[in-house]
Amino acid sequence: MNEKTTRQSGIALVIGAGGGLGAALVERLAQSGDSVGAYQAVLSLGRSTHPPLDYGDEASVLAASRWVAARCADLQGELRLLVVASGFLHGETGQPERSWTQLDADYLSQVFRINAIGPALVMKHFLPLFPKHGRCVAGFVSAKVGSIGDNALGGWYGYRASKAALNQLVKTASIELGRYNRQAICVSLHPGTVDTALSRPFAKTGLTVRPAPEAAENLLDVLAALTLADTGALIDYQGHRLPW
């Protein structure tokens, strides 16, 4: 767990704070303590925080949500911003597939667990922590390659499919969240290609790669500018809507 106190009302939470983008989001939010619209406190969760949040163990997700609820009560504040920055592209279980001949059940299971199932559990246990009145925003980091309409190159079956699943989960959750709080906003976010361990092995010459602090600032600017008309959409780091 990481907690940094700022000075305004409302509490922000970043899940996936152990990654490059997640850590940058926490740091940028903490630096906003003297700015308009800053948050009373910034909380962060991940596999190595205390309490830990492990997508492979729903009990840990539930326990982490109860911890956040308790911290909000202690701070006499309400959760107003939730950013889920977790993601998986490559690791010991496998690499992005170039062909259907490379499809592997273990890799697919891992990529769906982290990119779709885990965020779904976050929706289940954390979205109810939002207040029932007033603006609150949930942003789930997705990817442009999760857009079915934008897919012209093929490949990367598991990553594309898991992010497309995340986008559908976000769209569906945005509808229910709107019934819970009419001023609540829930979106998928495309951060662009960020210089992190997730994307570094796949950065190509000529591809625009941005440092994590810059990407974090871009995403937080986008989240701050969202309106109710944006809820349920897939939005990039420049504030543009992307096709499903």
Side-chain angles (χ1 to χ4, degrees), residues 40-117:
Q40 175 184 346
V42 181
L43 311 178
S44 59
L45 289 168
R47 286 181 299 172
S48 60
T49 59
H50 182 73
L53 190 154
D54 182 352
Y55 287 159
D57 177 14
E58 184 175 355
S60 78
V61 182
L62 172 59
S65 71
R66 288 174 172 169
W67 175 84
V68 170
R71 291 302 300 131
C72 289
D74 290 343
L75 294 164
Q76 298 183 345
E78 296 174 316
L79 183 65
R80 291 289 177 179
L81 176 67
L82 167 65
V83 185
V84 179
S86 51
F88 177 78
L89 176 60
H90 58 91
E92 293 181 1
T93 54
Q95 300 289 321
E97 313 92 341
R98 291 188 175 90
S99 165
W100 58 55
T101 62
Q102 297 173 323
L103 288 169
D104 176 82
D106 288 339
Y107 173 74
L108 287 171
S109 177
Q110 178 77 351
V111 77
F112 267 85
R113 170 66 62 184
I114 296 177
N115 292 342
I117 298 172

Side-chain angles (χ1 to χ4, degrees), residues 8-196:
Q8 297 279 340
S9 62
I11 293 169
L13 169 64
V14 177
I15 293 177
L21 180 58
L25 285 163
V26 173
E27 195 61 32
R28 185 66 188 88
L29 283 164
Q31 292 170 358
S32 302
D34 295 320
S35 67
V36 175
Y39 292 90
Q40 175 184 346
V42 181
L43 311 178
S44 59
L45 289 168
R47 286 181 299 172
S48 60
T49 59
H50 182 73
L53 190 154
D54 182 352
Y55 287 159
D57 177 14
E58 184 175 355
S60 78
V61 182
L62 172 59
S65 71
R66 288 174 172 169
W67 175 84
V68 170
R71 291 302 300 131
C72 289
D74 290 343
L75 294 164
Q76 298 183 345
E78 296 174 316
L79 183 65
R80 291 289 177 179
L81 176 67
L82 167 65
V83 185
V84 179
S86 51
F88 177 78
L89 176 60
H90 58 91
E92 293 181 1
T93 54
Q95 300 289 321
E97 313 92 341
R98 291 188 175 90
S99 165
W100 58 55
T101 62
Q102 297 173 323
L103 288 169
D104 176 82
D106 288 339
Y107 173 74
L108 287 171
S109 177
Q110 178 77 351
V111 77
F112 267 85
R113 170 66 62 184
I114 296 177
N115 292 342
I117 298 172
L121 295 177
V122 169
M123 295 171 186
K124 175 181 178 180
H125 294 295
F126 284 85
L127 291 183
L129 301 184
F130 276 148
K132 293 186 177 180
H133 303 282
R135 178 185 172 89
C136 49
V137 178
F140 293 79
V141 174
S142 183
K144 187 177 181 180
V145 297
S147 166
I148 297 173
D150 187 68
N151 183 1
L153 297 176
W156 287 32
Y157 285 79
Y159 190 72
R160 286 183 186 276
S162 64
K163 289 298 189 179
L166 172 62
N167 294 340
Q168 179 68 283
L169 288 163
V170 167
K171 174 63 176 179
T172 304
S174 73
I175 296 170
E176 184 172 359
L177 184 61
R179 297 174 184 142
Y180 176 84
N181 178 341
R182 292 185 179 181
Q183 293 178 273
I185 299 170
C186 184
V187 296
S188 292
L189 297 168
H190 168 56
T193 303
V194 184
D195 185 15
T196 66

